[in-house]
Amino acid sequence: MKDSLLNSFRNEIKNSSEEEFPKYVDSFTNLWDYEFGSFEDLPYDVDNLIANRAIEYGLME
């Protein structure tokens, strides 16, 4: 399940526009949190994308 969700996310963002990108990240994080409850074991590339989005929201520095 995790690998499938990660692969889908990577494919979506690869083909996304600048306007669509934040929606894909938000959707992924909501689904991941609902399914797994933690972001601790995310691969480095996905973790970086989520961290950048969190910085935009002012949730991280």
Side-chain angles (χ1 to χ4, degrees):
M1 172 83 170
K2 286 183 178 183
D3 287 337
S4 176
L5 184 56
L6 289 167
N7 288 334
S8 293
F9 175 63
R10 287 178 177 128
N11 286 331
E12 287 175 345
I13 61 168
K14 187 184 327 179
N15 300 316
S16 69
S17 68
E18 189 174 319
E19 294 82 30
E20 294 172 322
F21 178 79
K23 290 185 267 184
Y24 287 129
V25 173
D26 294 348
S27 177
F28 173 80
T29 56
N30 288 334
L31 181 57
W32 189 273
D33 185 45
Y34 175 79
E35 291 291 332
F36 307 111
S38 172
F39 297 105
E40 293 195 17
D41 293 327
L42 286 174
Y44 181 76
D45 62 319
V46 175
D47 188 54
N48 277 342
L49 292 169
I50 292 170
N52 288 336
R53 186 71 175 137
I55 290 168
E56 289 176 15
Y57 278 136
L59 301 173
M60 292 177 57
E61 293 181 9

